[in-house]
Amino acid sequence: MAGWKDYLGDKAFYKKILAIALPISAQQLITVGVNLMDTVMLSSMGDAQLSASALGGQFINLFQIFCMGLGMGASVLTSRYWGMQELNSLKKAVTIMLRLVLCLSSAFTLFTVFAPEAIMRMYTPEQGIIDYGVTYLRWLLPTYLCIGLSLTCTIVLRSVGQVRIPLLSSIFAFFVNIFFNWVFIFGHLGAPRMEIAGAALGTLIARLFELFFICGHFFFKDKNIGYRIRNICMKCGDLVREYFRVCIPVLISDGLLALGNNAVAMVMGHIGETFVAANSVTTIVQQLSSVLTQGIANASGIMTGHTMGEGDLEKAQKQGYTFLGLGFVLGCFAAIVILLVRGPIINYYKVSAETKEIAWQLMDAIGFIVVFQAMNSILTKGVLRAGGDTRFLMAGDILFLWVASIPLGMLAGFVFHWSPFWIYTMLKIDQIIKCVWCFFRLRSRKWMKKIQTANG
C-alpha cells in the first residue's frame, strides 16, 4: 500500500504543483482572454479581417514557438542547475539563450519587412485577406524583439520557481491590450478608427509593456539568479556544447511543432475563408481547455528538473507516473468543458451560419483529441524533456507530425474532401500516437540523462 502512496503523491507534492502550476495557468488564461477579446472585436469587422489577423498571427506564433523552444531548452539546464545550486552554469546557459534569441528576432523582423505579402500567401490565395494581413504584420514588426526577450526570460524565471512576476506582467498587459484595442479598432476617445491595424497596435503596446516589466525585473532587480545585462558578454564557451546537445533537439521539436501548426493553417486557409474563421473561433476553446494542462506540464518539468538535480532518480520516476495520471484526469475534464461551453461560445461570435456549422464540427474533434493531448503534453513538454531526453522527443515529433499528421490531414482536406471533423482529427493524429510512444519511454527509465556543468 505504501508503494501506491508513493505513486499517488502526498500533500506536499500537490501543494508544490499548485504553487507552480496555478500562476502559470492563470497567465495562460489571461493570454487566452486577450486573444478572445481580439477575435470578438475583429469579428464585427467581417470574416476577412478576422481571418487575416488569425493567419498573420500564425507567422508570429511560429516565431513565438521557436522562442519557446529556445527558452524551454534552456530551462532543462537552468532547472537542473538550480537544483544543484550551480549559478555560474545557470548564467552561462541564459547567456547562450539570449544571444540566440537576438539572432532569431533579427531574422524574423527582416523577413517580415521585406516579404509580408509572401508570408500571407503561404496561408491563403485570397487577395483581400492578404492585404489586411500585410497591414497587420507591418504594425507588429517590433513585437519580435519584445516577444523573444520577455518570453525566454519568463521561462527562465519559472524554471527556478519564480512565477509571480510573469503572472503580474500578464495581468497588467491584459488590461493594456483590451483598452488600446477598444480605442484603436473602433476609434474611441478621439483616436482614428483603424480596425485590423488598431488590433495590431493594441497588441504591440501590450508587448512593449511586457518587455519593460519582465526584463526590467530580470536584468535589474532579481537577486535569486542575479543575472545582469553585462552577463550577456560573459565567456560561456565551455557550456556551448552541452547547451546545444540538450537544447537544439528541443528547438527542433518545437520548431517542427510550429511548422506543423503553420501547415495546419495552410491547409485550412486553402480550404476557404469560412474554415479559417471557424478555426479562429475554436482556437480560443482549445486554448481554454488546455490552460491547466499547460500549467501542470510546466510544473512537471520544473519539479522533475529540481528532483534530478538533487540526484533522486527513483523519486523522479515515480513522479513521472503521477504526472501522467494527472494528464489523463485533466484531459477528460477539458473534454467535458468543451462539450459544455462550445454552444454559447460559437453563438457569441458574429460570423456566418456556415462558419458556425464548421466550428461545431471542429469542437467535436477537439473534445476527442484533447484527452490524448493532455497526457502527451505533460510527458513531452514536462517530465521527459526535464530528464534531458530531448533527442528522443525530437525523433517523435519528426516522425509522427510529418509522416502521419500532415500527410493524412492534406489527404483528408484536398483529396478526399472529408468533413471538418475528420480533417482536424487527421491533422492532430500525432497527439494520439505520441501519447502511447511516450508512455513506453517513461516506463523504460531511459529518459533520465546526465548533464554537464560549466568547466566539467
Side-chain angles (χ1 to χ4, degrees):
M1 190 68 184
W4 280 107
K5 286 183 178 179
D6 289 339
Y7 287 100
L8 290 173
D10 55 18
K11 185 177 180 180
F13 173 75
Y14 288 104
K15 187 175 180 180
K16 188 173 182 180
I17 291 176
L18 292 175
I20 298 173
L22 287 182
I24 294 174
S25 295
Q27 189 176 357
Q28 293 291 336
L29 185 61
I30 291 164
T31 301
V32 172
V34 170
N35 294 337
L36 175 62
M37 294 307 299
D38 285 356
T39 306
V40 169
M41 289 181 186
L42 272 179
S43 67
S44 63
M45 303 295 170
D47 284 358
Q49 291 197 50
L50 177 61
S51 297
S53 67
L55 295 177
Q58 282 292 329
F59 188 72
I60 295 172
N61 288 340
L62 174 66
F63 168 76
Q64 190 166 345
I65 294 176
F66 273 117
C67 288
M68 286 186 69
L70 288 173
M72 294 302 292
S75 75
V76 175
L77 296 175
T78 57
S79 64
R80 193 81 70 87
Y81 292 145
W82 182 254
M84 299 175 181
Q85 284 301 293
E86 276 277 348
L87 294 184
N88 186 51
S89 297
L90 195 158
K91 288 180 182 179
K92 289 184 177 183
V94 172
T95 296
I96 299 169
M97 176 194 75
L98 291 176
R99 290 175 183 174
L100 292 172
V101 166
L102 291 174
C103 292
L104 186 66
S105 301
S106 300
F108 269 79
T109 300
L110 289 172
F111 188 36
T112 306
V113 166
F114 292 109
E117 188 165 333
I119 291 170
M120 290 304 301
R121 287 196 182 279
M122 291 191 300
Y123 302 109
T124 179
E126 299 183 34
Q127 190 60 45
I129 297 177
I130 291 171
D131 292 339
Y132 280 125
V134 167
T135 300
Y136 187 77
L137 288 172
R138 282 176 173 162
W139 274 97
L140 287 174
L141 278 172
T143 60
Y144 293 115
L145 181 62
C146 298
I147 292 171
L149 292 176
S150 61
L151 179 58
T152 51
C153 288
T154 289
I155 292 172
V156 171
L157 287 170
R158 288 176 179 172
S159 73
V160 300
Q162 294 192 57
V163 293
R164 181 172 170 270
I165 293 297
L167 175 60
L168 289 175
S169 173
S170 292
I171 291 172
F172 292 133
F174 172 75
F175 292 107
V176 169
N177 197 328
I178 289 178
F179 174 74
F180 285 105
N181 272 4
W182 176 77
V183 169
F184 292 114
I185 289 175
F186 302 107
H188 293 302
L189 302 180
R193 180 185 172 93
M194 299 173 66
E195 300 186 356
I196 192 171
L201 180 56
T203 299
L204 172 58
I205 294 170
R207 293 297 189 189
L208 287 168
F209 173 84
E210 284 181 324
L211 175 68
F212 290 118
F213 195 101
I214 292 290
C215 294
H217 173 81
F218 186 78
F219 290 118
F220 299 102
K221 191 175 179 181
D222 174 63
K223 295 180 181 178
N224 292 315
I225 301 173
Y227 194 92
R228 298 295 179 259
I229 291 179
R230 65 178 179 273
N231 293 131
I232 295 178
C233 300
M234 74 188 297
K235 293 181 179 180
C236 49
D238 55 338
L239 199 64
V240 168
R241 184 175 180 179
E242 181 66 6
Y243 182 95
F244 281 101
R245 183 188 72 81
V246 174
C247 300
I248 290 302
V250 177
L251 177 60
I252 293 173
S253 293
D254 283 5
L256 287 170
L257 173 63
L259 292 171
N261 289 338
N262 273 252
V264 170
M266 290 175 193
V267 171
M268 293 180 179
H270 286 81
I271 290 173
E273 180 180 310
T274 53
F275 204 111
V276 174
N279 188 57
S280 300
V281 174
T282 64
T283 296
I284 300 300
V285 176
Q286 294 177 59
Q287 292 172 340
L288 281 171
S289 66
S290 64
V291 159
L292 192 54
T293 300
Q294 290 180 45
I296 298 295
N298 277 270
S300 70
I302 293 166
M303 290 174 65
T304 301
H306 292 176
T307 301
M308 293 189 67
E310 294 163 0
D312 196 340
L313 302 186
E314 186 61 32
K315 182 179 178 181
Q317 177 69 21
K318 291 176 180 178
Q319 287 178 349
Y321 284 117
T322 307
F323 281 118
L324 178 61
L326 282 174
F328 175 73
V329 173
L330 289 172
C332 293
F333 175 75
I336 294 170
V337 170
I338 290 170
L339 292 175
L340 292 175
V341 305
R342 59 181 176 175
I345 287 181
I346 291 172
N347 291 327
Y348 187 77
Y349 285 91
K350 299 176 181 178
V351 293
S352 64
E354 184 182 358
T355 298
K356 288 184 178 182
E357 183 180 346
I358 294 172
W360 195 270
Q361 291 190 50
L362 294 181
M363 292 286 195
D364 288 336
I366 294 164
F368 169 66
I369 293 293
V370 74
V371 178
F372 301 95
Q373 191 168 6
M375 292 187 286
N376 169 42
S377 295
I378 286 175
L379 288 180
T380 59
K381 308 305 178 188
V383 176
L384 301 185
R385 177 175 286 181
D389 199 21
T390 54
R391 290 185 182 179
F392 176 85
L393 298 173
M394 178 185 69
D397 283 332
I398 293 172
L399 183 63
F400 302 129
L401 179 64
W402 295 98
V403 176
S405 285
I406 301 303
L408 289 174
M410 294 181 72
L411 285 172
F414 298 141
V415 179
F416 301 123
H417 304 290
W418 286 351
S419 67
F421 174 90
W422 286 110
I423 293 173
Y424 187 90
T425 300
M426 291 300 102
L427 287 168
K428 296 292 184 179
I429 198 72
D430 64 314
Q431 298 294 332
I432 299 174
I433 302 171
K434 282 199 294 184
C435 183
V436 178
W437 169 273
C438 290
F439 167 75
F440 284 104
R441 186 63 170 183
L442 175 68
R443 189 178 176 182
S444 73
R445 294 176 175 257
K446 294 179 181 179
W447 58 277
M448 292 185 279
K449 309 291 185 182
K450 292 182 180 180
I451 64 168
Q452 300 278 329
T453 58
N455 297 315

